[in-house]
Amino acid sequence: MQQSYSKKMPPRRSGPGGAKGWWRGRFKGCGYRFTVPRQVILDTLNRTSKHLSAEDIYLAVHRTCPNIGLTTVYRTLELLVQIGLVFKFDFGDGRARYELSRETHPREHCYLVCISCGRAINADDFREKETERVKQIEETIAKRYNFRVRNQITQFYGLCGKCSKGKVI
Amino acid sequence: MQQSYSKKMPPRRSGPGGAKGWWRGRFKGCGYRFTVPRQVILDTLNRTSKHLSAEDIYLAVHRTCPNIGLTTVYRTLELLVQIGLVFKFDFGDGRARYELSRETHPREHCYLVCISCGRAINADDFREKETERVKQIEETIAKRYNFRVRNQITQFYGLCGKCSKGKVI
DNA sequence: TGCTTAGTGAAAATGGTTTTCATTATTAAT
DNA sequence: ATTAATAATGAAAACCATTTTCACTAAGCA
């Protein structure tokens, strides 16, 4: 039972408990409990800017809390994505990646994915200056498709330097 | 052993065998055999503009050639992606989708993916007028990252009309 | 403090994809 | 054409990220 939540969000890092306080409020506001596993998983995501897989998170979490199982990691991540606190990505390598949604960070992501070796190269810097344009696009989409954009990813598929060596096409 | 292939491509639908002739040449040029399963799978992809999953293709192919197995479908698709004849997509629903690469069709794809119900809405029309801009971006990427772009997909993650009902956030 | 119920963890199940391996079909050489 | 070499195939098994099941635990309200 997800409840509606006030549009006026409190600033993320102020108030009792800092980020944790904000998260807690967000959980409660949606009718969920703010449990230890959920705190620890959010903390882990908060400590890095990388895109972690569920197993990455499980292993990191496992060091401090060995009793937290992989199942809970998956379940929590699913919930966090639903709530909108975490973004889920798929680079086509058979495992999903997760990243904490930070308002101070760009919500536009850009990757170069090599179709030969599967390597994914981050090219976010590419989009930074396009924020305005992207905002416009999102507004248009909201109107035309009645769709609320939360996150955006652009992937360029092709051949990386190594893999394109010697190939003309 | 992938061989280099002349940059001057013959027109896709002319010459002996039409598209098939072109495909055949492409296979041979790369050192691969143009077998019946590969023909049939390419034909199937050629007959639709939808994004088919491996199973979709298997079922379609199975009607005419019941002896073609799912394994071959997967193997052929992987090869086709490597050769650059087919694009592979991932909407995060646990199964990959494939689409024939047609030069007459745009290589820019745009989707709205609902993080609540998982529905993927095609919004390609959105990009059609941006072809020039996208070309520039691809050129810059090629230079800066030494990366040859073959295909591009932009996904907007968010809430579709149905799923955002009653939610303020 | 106790009660209700959401949340958790271990193990099993699921399901798309990949690997294995014996067989078949294609190509190049004869 | 026939044959030899090897690439391609199909069925079954393996793989592996993710999900489900179910008995148990802990958060939050009365």
Side-chain angles (χ1 to χ4, degrees), chain A residues 33 35 37-38 67-68 71-72 75:
Chain A
R33 294 175 183 174
T35 64
R38 287 171 183 178
N67 51 324
I68 295 177
T71 311
T72 299
R75 269 190 295 229

PDB file of all heavy atoms in Angstrom, chain A residues 33 35 37-38 67-68 71-72 75, chain C residues 4-12:
ATOM      1  N   ARG A  33       8.714  -0.109   6.818  1.00  0.00           N
ATOM      2  CA  ARG A  33       9.548  -0.022   8.025  1.00  0.00           C
ATOM      3  C   ARG A  33      10.999   0.236   7.631  1.00  0.00           C
ATOM      4  O   ARG A  33      11.469  -0.277   6.625  1.00  0.00           O
ATOM      5  CB  ARG A  33       9.443  -1.324   8.819  1.00  0.00           C
ATOM      6  CG  ARG A  33       8.060  -1.539   9.365  1.00  0.00           C
ATOM      7  CD  ARG A  33       7.953  -2.879  10.046  1.00  0.00           C
ATOM      8  NE  ARG A  33       6.589  -3.099  10.510  1.00  0.00           N
ATOM      9  CZ  ARG A  33       6.171  -4.239  11.041  1.00  0.00           C
ATOM     10  NH1 ARG A  33       7.008  -5.241  11.192  1.00  0.00           N
ATOM     11  NH2 ARG A  33       4.928  -4.364  11.439  1.00  0.00           N
ATOM     12  N   THR A  35      14.221  -0.747   8.464  1.00  0.00           N
ATOM     13  CA  THR A  35      14.921  -1.781   9.224  1.00  0.00           C
ATOM     14  C   THR A  35      16.436  -1.686   9.038  1.00  0.00           C
ATOM     15  O   THR A  35      16.925  -0.946   8.195  1.00  0.00           O
ATOM     16  CB  THR A  35      14.464  -3.166   8.751  1.00  0.00           C
ATOM     17  OG1 THR A  35      14.868  -3.316   7.378  1.00  0.00           O
ATOM     18  CG2 THR A  35      12.967  -3.305   8.849  1.00  0.00           C
ATOM     19  N   PRO A  37      18.673  -3.954   7.844  1.00  0.00           N
ATOM     20  CA  PRO A  37      19.170  -4.298   6.497  1.00  0.00           C
ATOM     21  C   PRO A  37      18.954  -3.174   5.500  1.00  0.00           C
ATOM     22  O   PRO A  37      19.842  -2.872   4.704  1.00  0.00           O
ATOM     23  CB  PRO A  37      18.342  -5.528   6.124  1.00  0.00           C
ATOM     24  CG  PRO A  37      17.975  -6.146   7.414  1.00  0.00           C
ATOM     25  CD  PRO A  37      17.783  -5.014   8.362  1.00  0.00           C
ATOM     26  N   ARG A  38      17.829  -2.534   5.567  1.00  0.00           N
ATOM     27  CA  ARG A  38      17.539  -1.457   4.623  1.00  0.00           C
ATOM     28  C   ARG A  38      18.477  -0.269   4.834  1.00  0.00           C
ATOM     29  O   ARG A  38      18.942   0.354   3.866  1.00  0.00           O
ATOM     30  CB  ARG A  38      16.069  -1.027   4.756  1.00  0.00           C
ATOM     31  CG  ARG A  38      15.154  -2.080   4.170  1.00  0.00           C
ATOM     32  CD  ARG A  38      13.686  -1.837   4.444  1.00  0.00           C
ATOM     33  NE  ARG A  38      12.892  -2.951   3.907  1.00  0.00           N
ATOM     34  CZ  ARG A  38      11.576  -3.051   4.012  1.00  0.00           C
ATOM     35  NH1 ARG A  38      10.886  -2.110   4.645  1.00  0.00           N
ATOM     36  NH2 ARG A  38      10.963  -4.093   3.488  1.00  0.00           N
ATOM     37  N   ASN A  67      24.841 -11.470   8.660  1.00  0.00           N
ATOM     38  CA  ASN A  67      23.557 -12.165   8.751  1.00  0.00           C
ATOM     39  C   ASN A  67      22.549 -11.689   7.706  1.00  0.00           C
ATOM     40  O   ASN A  67      21.466 -12.243   7.581  1.00  0.00           O
ATOM     41  CB  ASN A  67      22.974 -12.015  10.160  1.00  0.00           C
ATOM     42  CG  ASN A  67      22.939 -10.562  10.601  1.00  0.00           C
ATOM     43  OD1 ASN A  67      23.844  -9.783  10.281  1.00  0.00           O
ATOM     44  ND2 ASN A  67      21.901 -10.186  11.301  1.00  0.00           N
ATOM     45  N   ILE A  68      22.915 -10.643   6.955  1.00  0.00           N
ATOM     46  CA  ILE A  68      22.003 -10.158   5.920  1.00  0.00           C
ATOM     47  C   ILE A  68      22.164 -11.008   4.670  1.00  0.00           C
ATOM     48  O   ILE A  68      23.258 -11.134   4.124  1.00  0.00           O
ATOM     49  CB  ILE A  68      22.261  -8.673   5.594  1.00  0.00           C
ATOM     50  CG1 ILE A  68      21.933  -7.818   6.818  1.00  0.00           C
ATOM     51  CG2 ILE A  68      21.430  -8.236   4.399  1.00  0.00           C
ATOM     52  CD1 ILE A  68      22.216  -6.352   6.614  1.00  0.00           C
ATOM     53  N   THR A  71      18.900 -12.651  -0.515  1.00  0.00           N
ATOM     54  CA  THR A  71      17.471 -12.450  -0.785  1.00  0.00           C
ATOM     55  C   THR A  71      17.017 -11.073  -0.342  1.00  0.00           C
ATOM     56  O   THR A  71      16.319 -10.367  -1.069  1.00  0.00           O
ATOM     57  CB  THR A  71      16.642 -13.508  -0.045  1.00  0.00           C
ATOM     58  OG1 THR A  71      17.199 -14.789  -0.291  1.00  0.00           O
ATOM     59  CG2 THR A  71      15.213 -13.483  -0.511  1.00  0.00           C
ATOM     60  N   THR A  72      17.427 -10.699   0.856  1.00  0.00           N
ATOM     61  CA  THR A  72      17.026  -9.396   1.383  1.00  0.00           C
ATOM     62  C   THR A  72      17.588  -8.271   0.537  1.00  0.00           C
ATOM     63  O   THR A  72      16.928  -7.254   0.322  1.00  0.00           O
ATOM     64  CB  THR A  72      17.498  -9.255   2.843  1.00  0.00           C
ATOM     65  OG1 THR A  72      16.875 -10.274   3.609  1.00  0.00           O
ATOM     66  CG2 THR A  72      17.135  -7.903   3.408  1.00  0.00           C
ATOM     67  N   ARG A  75      15.376  -8.023  -2.423  1.00  0.00           N
ATOM     68  CA  ARG A  75      14.069  -7.473  -2.061  1.00  0.00           C
ATOM     69  C   ARG A  75      14.155  -5.988  -1.736  1.00  0.00           C
ATOM     70  O   ARG A  75      13.290  -5.198  -2.145  1.00  0.00           O
ATOM     71  CB  ARG A  75      13.497  -8.250  -0.872  1.00  0.00           C
ATOM     72  CG  ARG A  75      12.637  -9.407  -1.315  1.00  0.00           C
ATOM     73  CD  ARG A  75      11.882 -10.001  -0.145  1.00  0.00           C
ATOM     74  NE  ARG A  75      12.800 -10.601   0.822  1.00  0.00           N
ATOM     75  CZ  ARG A  75      12.671 -11.818   1.326  1.00  0.00           C
ATOM     76  NH1 ARG A  75      11.686 -12.588   0.936  1.00  0.00           N
ATOM     77  NH2 ARG A  75      13.507 -12.286   2.209  1.00  0.00           N
TER      78      ARG A  75
ATOM     79  P    DT C   4      -3.479 -10.211  18.148  1.00  0.00           P
ATOM     80  OP1  DT C   4      -4.951 -10.118  18.227  1.00  0.00           O
ATOM     81  OP2  DT C   4      -2.818 -11.528  18.254  1.00  0.00           O
ATOM     82  O5'  DT C   4      -3.030  -9.503  16.798  1.00  0.00           O
ATOM     83  C5'  DT C   4      -3.269  -8.088  16.628  1.00  0.00           C
ATOM     84  C4'  DT C   4      -2.400  -7.561  15.490  1.00  0.00           C
ATOM     85  O4'  DT C   4      -1.018  -7.472  15.923  1.00  0.00           O
ATOM     86  C3'  DT C   4      -2.418  -8.417  14.221  1.00  0.00           C
ATOM     87  O3'  DT C   4      -2.765  -7.575  13.130  1.00  0.00           O
ATOM     88  C2'  DT C   4      -0.990  -8.964  14.109  1.00  0.00           C
ATOM     89  C1'  DT C   4      -0.188  -7.910  14.868  1.00  0.00           C
ATOM     90  N1   DT C   4       1.084  -8.386  15.496  1.00  0.00           N
ATOM     91  C2   DT C   4       2.203  -7.597  15.405  1.00  0.00           C
ATOM     92  O2   DT C   4       2.213  -6.527  14.836  1.00  0.00           O
ATOM     93  N3   DT C   4       3.314  -8.117  16.034  1.00  0.00           N
ATOM     94  C4   DT C   4       3.410  -9.308  16.715  1.00  0.00           C
ATOM     95  O4   DT C   4       4.462  -9.659  17.223  1.00  0.00           O
ATOM     96  C5   DT C   4       2.204 -10.104  16.757  1.00  0.00           C
ATOM     97  C7   DT C   4       2.189 -11.421  17.451  1.00  0.00           C
ATOM     98  C6   DT C   4       1.091  -9.606  16.150  1.00  0.00           C
ATOM     99  P    DT C   5      -3.065  -8.170  11.683  1.00  0.00           P
ATOM    100  OP1  DT C   5      -4.142  -7.335  11.098  1.00  0.00           O
ATOM    101  OP2  DT C   5      -3.202  -9.631  11.816  1.00  0.00           O
ATOM    102  O5'  DT C   5      -1.719  -7.860  10.900  1.00  0.00           O
ATOM    103  C5'  DT C   5      -1.137  -6.547  10.994  1.00  0.00           C
ATOM    104  C4'  DT C   5       0.283  -6.611  10.486  1.00  0.00           C
ATOM    105  O4'  DT C   5       1.145  -7.238  11.456  1.00  0.00           O
ATOM    106  C3'  DT C   5       0.470  -7.412   9.191  1.00  0.00           C
ATOM    107  O3'  DT C   5       1.372  -6.692   8.390  1.00  0.00           O
ATOM    108  C2'  DT C   5       1.102  -8.702   9.669  1.00  0.00           C
ATOM    109  C1'  DT C   5       1.982  -8.128  10.773  1.00  0.00           C
ATOM    110  N1   DT C   5       2.530  -9.101  11.745  1.00  0.00           N
ATOM    111  C2   DT C   5       3.748  -8.847  12.307  1.00  0.00           C
ATOM    112  O2   DT C   5       4.400  -7.857  12.058  1.00  0.00           O
ATOM    113  N3   DT C   5       4.187  -9.797  13.191  1.00  0.00           N
ATOM    114  C4   DT C   5       3.526 -10.962  13.546  1.00  0.00           C
ATOM    115  O4   DT C   5       4.022 -11.732  14.343  1.00  0.00           O
ATOM    116  C5   DT C   5       2.245 -11.165  12.917  1.00  0.00           C
ATOM    117  C7   DT C   5       1.449 -12.387  13.227  1.00  0.00           C
ATOM    118  C6   DT C   5       1.812 -10.239  12.045  1.00  0.00           C
ATOM    119  P    DA C   6       1.284  -6.639   6.829  1.00  0.00           P
ATOM    120  OP1  DA C   6       0.166  -5.785   6.397  1.00  0.00           O
ATOM    121  OP2  DA C   6       1.374  -8.033   6.366  1.00  0.00           O
ATOM    122  O5'  DA C   6       2.631  -5.882   6.491  1.00  0.00           O
ATOM    123  C5'  DA C   6       2.995  -4.733   7.254  1.00  0.00           C
ATOM    124  C4'  DA C   6       4.495  -4.737   7.486  1.00  0.00           C
ATOM    125  O4'  DA C   6       4.840  -5.791   8.423  1.00  0.00           O
ATOM    126  C3'  DA C   6       5.311  -4.994   6.231  1.00  0.00           C
ATOM    127  O3'  DA C   6       6.447  -4.155   6.285  1.00  0.00           O
ATOM    128  C2'  DA C   6       5.680  -6.460   6.343  1.00  0.00           C
ATOM    129  C1'  DA C   6       5.809  -6.645   7.842  1.00  0.00           C
ATOM    130  N9   DA C   6       5.507  -7.993   8.326  1.00  0.00           N
ATOM    131  C8   DA C   6       4.425  -8.768   8.010  1.00  0.00           C
ATOM    132  N7   DA C   6       4.409  -9.927   8.613  1.00  0.00           N
ATOM    133  C5   DA C   6       5.554  -9.914   9.378  1.00  0.00           C
ATOM    134  C6   DA C   6       6.116 -10.865  10.259  1.00  0.00           C
ATOM    135  N6   DA C   6       5.551 -12.054  10.520  1.00  0.00           N
ATOM    136  N1   DA C   6       7.277 -10.541  10.876  1.00  0.00           N
ATOM    137  C2   DA C   6       7.832  -9.354  10.623  1.00  0.00           C
ATOM    138  N3   DA C   6       7.393  -8.373   9.818  1.00  0.00           N
ATOM    139  C4   DA C   6       6.245  -8.733   9.219  1.00  0.00           C
ATOM    140  P    DG C   7       7.564  -4.196   5.173  1.00  0.00           P
ATOM    141  OP1  DG C   7       8.181  -2.866   5.079  1.00  0.00           O
ATOM    142  OP2  DG C   7       6.960  -4.842   3.990  1.00  0.00           O
ATOM    143  O5'  DG C   7       8.640  -5.187   5.796  1.00  0.00           O
ATOM    144  C5'  DG C   7       9.286  -4.803   7.010  1.00  0.00           C
ATOM    145  C4'  DG C   7      10.359  -5.816   7.349  1.00  0.00           C
ATOM    146  O4'  DG C   7       9.732  -7.047   7.773  1.00  0.00           O
ATOM    147  C3'  DG C   7      11.283  -6.175   6.187  1.00  0.00           C
ATOM    148  O3'  DG C   7      12.611  -6.119   6.684  1.00  0.00           O
ATOM    149  C2'  DG C   7      10.858  -7.590   5.806  1.00  0.00           C
ATOM    150  C1'  DG C   7      10.369  -8.137   7.133  1.00  0.00           C
ATOM    151  N9   DG C   7       9.378  -9.212   7.058  1.00  0.00           N
ATOM    152  C8   DG C   7       8.217  -9.222   6.335  1.00  0.00           C
ATOM    153  N7   DG C   7       7.524 -10.333   6.491  1.00  0.00           N
ATOM    154  C5   DG C   7       8.285 -11.089   7.382  1.00  0.00           C
ATOM    155  C6   DG C   7       8.061 -12.376   7.923  1.00  0.00           C
ATOM    156  O6   DG C   7       7.100 -13.135   7.734  1.00  0.00           O
ATOM    157  N1   DG C   7       9.085 -12.764   8.785  1.00  0.00           N
ATOM    158  C2   DG C   7      10.183 -12.005   9.079  1.00  0.00           C
ATOM    159  N2   DG C   7      11.068 -12.542   9.907  1.00  0.00           N
ATOM    160  N3   DG C   7      10.412 -10.801   8.580  1.00  0.00           N
ATOM    161  C4   DG C   7       9.428 -10.412   7.742  1.00  0.00           C
ATOM    162  P    DT C   8      13.837  -6.484   5.773  1.00  0.00           P
ATOM    163  OP1  DT C   8      14.975  -5.633   6.182  1.00  0.00           O
ATOM    164  OP2  DT C   8      13.371  -6.530   4.379  1.00  0.00           O
ATOM    165  O5'  DT C   8      14.146  -7.965   6.250  1.00  0.00           O
ATOM    166  C5'  DT C   8      14.516  -8.192   7.610  1.00  0.00           C
ATOM    167  C4'  DT C   8      14.864  -9.654   7.809  1.00  0.00           C
ATOM    168  O4'  DT C   8      13.657 -10.437   7.669  1.00  0.00           O
ATOM    169  C3'  DT C   8      15.857 -10.198   6.788  1.00  0.00           C
ATOM    170  O3'  DT C   8      17.010 -10.641   7.489  1.00  0.00           O
ATOM    171  C2'  DT C   8      15.114 -11.343   6.095  1.00  0.00           C
ATOM    172  C1'  DT C   8      13.978 -11.656   7.058  1.00  0.00           C
ATOM    173  N1   DT C   8      12.711 -12.128   6.434  1.00  0.00           N
ATOM    174  C2   DT C   8      12.201 -13.344   6.807  1.00  0.00           C
ATOM    175  O2   DT C   8      12.745 -14.074   7.612  1.00  0.00           O
ATOM    176  N3   DT C   8      11.022 -13.691   6.187  1.00  0.00           N
ATOM    177  C4   DT C   8      10.321 -12.947   5.259  1.00  0.00           C
ATOM    178  O4   DT C   8       9.270 -13.357   4.782  1.00  0.00           O
ATOM    179  C5   DT C   8      10.910 -11.672   4.915  1.00  0.00           C
ATOM    180  C7   DT C   8      10.235 -10.787   3.926  1.00  0.00           C
ATOM    181  C6   DT C   8      12.068 -11.326   5.513  1.00  0.00           C
ATOM    182  P    DG C   9      18.347 -10.896   6.675  1.00  0.00           P
ATOM    183  OP1  DG C   9      19.485 -10.487   7.527  1.00  0.00           O
ATOM    184  OP2  DG C   9      18.198 -10.370   5.318  1.00  0.00           O
ATOM    185  O5'  DG C   9      18.337 -12.476   6.611  1.00  0.00           O
ATOM    186  C5'  DG C   9      18.269 -13.211   7.820  1.00  0.00           C
ATOM    187  C4'  DG C   9      18.226 -14.695   7.513  1.00  0.00           C
ATOM    188  O4'  DG C   9      16.912 -15.043   7.015  1.00  0.00           O
ATOM    189  C3'  DG C   9      19.217 -15.151   6.443  1.00  0.00           C
ATOM    190  O3'  DG C   9      19.736 -16.405   6.856  1.00  0.00           O
ATOM    191  C2'  DG C   9      18.355 -15.285   5.188  1.00  0.00           C
ATOM    192  C1'  DG C   9      17.012 -15.685   5.767  1.00  0.00           C
ATOM    193  N9   DG C   9      15.844 -15.256   5.003  1.00  0.00           N
ATOM    194  C8   DG C   9      15.705 -14.098   4.271  1.00  0.00           C
ATOM    195  N7   DG C   9      14.525 -13.972   3.725  1.00  0.00           N
ATOM    196  C5   DG C   9      13.844 -15.112   4.110  1.00  0.00           C
ATOM    197  C6   DG C   9      12.528 -15.544   3.812  1.00  0.00           C
ATOM    198  O6   DG C   9      11.662 -14.973   3.137  1.00  0.00           O
ATOM    199  N1   DG C   9      12.236 -16.763   4.404  1.00  0.00           N
ATOM    200  C2   DG C   9      13.098 -17.488   5.180  1.00  0.00           C
ATOM    201  N2   DG C   9      12.636 -18.636   5.655  1.00  0.00           N
ATOM    202  N3   DG C   9      14.330 -17.112   5.462  1.00  0.00           N
ATOM    203  C4   DG C   9      14.637 -15.916   4.893  1.00  0.00           C
ATOM    204  P    DA C  10      21.053 -16.968   6.227  1.00  0.00           P
ATOM    205  OP1  DA C  10      22.027 -17.133   7.314  1.00  0.00           O
ATOM    206  OP2  DA C  10      21.391 -16.216   5.014  1.00  0.00           O
ATOM    207  O5'  DA C  10      20.557 -18.424   5.789  1.00  0.00           O
ATOM    208  C5'  DA C  10      19.797 -19.205   6.720  1.00  0.00           C
ATOM    209  C4'  DA C  10      19.205 -20.403   6.012  1.00  0.00           C
ATOM    210  O4'  DA C  10      17.961 -20.020   5.368  1.00  0.00           O
ATOM    211  C3'  DA C  10      20.084 -21.021   4.929  1.00  0.00           C
ATOM    212  O3'  DA C  10      20.048 -22.429   5.073  1.00  0.00           O
ATOM    213  C2'  DA C  10      19.460 -20.545   3.627  1.00  0.00           C
ATOM    214  C1'  DA C  10      17.996 -20.350   3.998  1.00  0.00           C
ATOM    215  N9   DA C  10      17.337 -19.245   3.293  1.00  0.00           N
ATOM    216  C8   DA C  10      17.904 -18.051   2.921  1.00  0.00           C
ATOM    217  N7   DA C  10      17.068 -17.238   2.308  1.00  0.00           N
ATOM    218  C5   DA C  10      15.874 -17.950   2.281  1.00  0.00           C
ATOM    219  C6   DA C  10      14.591 -17.637   1.782  1.00  0.00           C
ATOM    220  N6   DA C  10      14.294 -16.488   1.190  1.00  0.00           N
ATOM    221  N1   DA C  10      13.624 -18.565   1.917  1.00  0.00           N
ATOM    222  C2   DA C  10      13.917 -19.720   2.521  1.00  0.00           C
ATOM    223  N3   DA C  10      15.086 -20.136   3.037  1.00  0.00           N
ATOM    224  C4   DA C  10      16.023 -19.183   2.879  1.00  0.00           C
ATOM    225  P    DA C  11      20.830 -23.351   4.043  1.00  0.00           P
ATOM    226  OP1  DA C  11      21.369 -24.488   4.820  1.00  0.00           O
ATOM    227  OP2  DA C  11      21.720 -22.515   3.204  1.00  0.00           O
ATOM    228  O5'  DA C  11      19.639 -23.879   3.135  1.00  0.00           O
ATOM    229  C5'  DA C  11      18.370 -24.132   3.734  1.00  0.00           C
ATOM    230  C4'  DA C  11      17.364 -24.508   2.654  1.00  0.00           C
ATOM    231  O4'  DA C  11      16.773 -23.305   2.101  1.00  0.00           O
ATOM    232  C3'  DA C  11      17.971 -25.263   1.471  1.00  0.00           C
ATOM    233  O3'  DA C  11      17.060 -26.269   1.062  1.00  0.00           O
ATOM    234  C2'  DA C  11      18.138 -24.180   0.414  1.00  0.00           C
ATOM    235  C1'  DA C  11      16.913 -23.316   0.700  1.00  0.00           C
ATOM    236  N9   DA C  11      17.037 -21.933   0.257  1.00  0.00           N
ATOM    237  C8   DA C  11      18.157 -21.149   0.230  1.00  0.00           C
ATOM    238  N7   DA C  11      17.954 -19.940  -0.227  1.00  0.00           N
ATOM    239  C5   DA C  11      16.598 -19.924  -0.524  1.00  0.00           C
ATOM    240  C6   DA C  11      15.752 -18.934  -1.044  1.00  0.00           C
ATOM    241  N6   DA C  11      16.166 -17.703  -1.366  1.00  0.00           N
ATOM    242  N1   DA C  11      14.446 -19.244  -1.219  1.00  0.00           N
ATOM    243  C2   DA C  11      14.034 -20.472  -0.894  1.00  0.00           C
ATOM    244  N3   DA C  11      14.730 -21.495  -0.394  1.00  0.00           N
ATOM    245  C4   DA C  11      16.019 -21.147  -0.231  1.00  0.00           C
ATOM    246  P    DA C  12      17.445 -27.230  -0.157  1.00  0.00           P
ATOM    247  OP1  DA C  12      17.346 -28.599   0.361  1.00  0.00           O
ATOM    248  OP2  DA C  12      18.701 -26.757  -0.789  1.00  0.00           O
ATOM    249  O5'  DA C  12      16.235 -26.967  -1.167  1.00  0.00           O
ATOM    250  C5'  DA C  12      14.921 -26.761  -0.639  1.00  0.00           C
ATOM    251  C4'  DA C  12      14.040 -26.184  -1.723  1.00  0.00           C
ATOM    252  O4'  DA C  12      14.349 -24.779  -1.901  1.00  0.00           O
ATOM    253  C3'  DA C  12      14.220 -26.845  -3.084  1.00  0.00           C
ATOM    254  O3'  DA C  12      12.938 -27.107  -3.640  1.00  0.00           O
ATOM    255  C2'  DA C  12      15.012 -25.816  -3.890  1.00  0.00           C
ATOM    256  C1'  DA C  12      14.532 -24.504  -3.278  1.00  0.00           C
ATOM    257  N9   DA C  12      15.485 -23.401  -3.382  1.00  0.00           N
ATOM    258  C8   DA C  12      16.823 -23.413  -3.110  1.00  0.00           C
ATOM    259  N7   DA C  12      17.420 -22.254  -3.289  1.00  0.00           N
ATOM    260  C5   DA C  12      16.396 -21.420  -3.717  1.00  0.00           C
ATOM    261  C6   DA C  12      16.379 -20.060  -4.073  1.00  0.00           C
ATOM    262  N6   DA C  12      17.458 -19.271  -4.068  1.00  0.00           N
ATOM    263  N1   DA C  12      15.200 -19.535  -4.445  1.00  0.00           N
ATOM    264  C2   DA C  12      14.113 -20.327  -4.462  1.00  0.00           C
ATOM    265  N3   DA C  12      14.007 -21.611  -4.149  1.00  0.00           N
ATOM    266  C4   DA C  12      15.206 -22.109  -3.775  1.00  0.00           C
TER     267       DA C  12
END
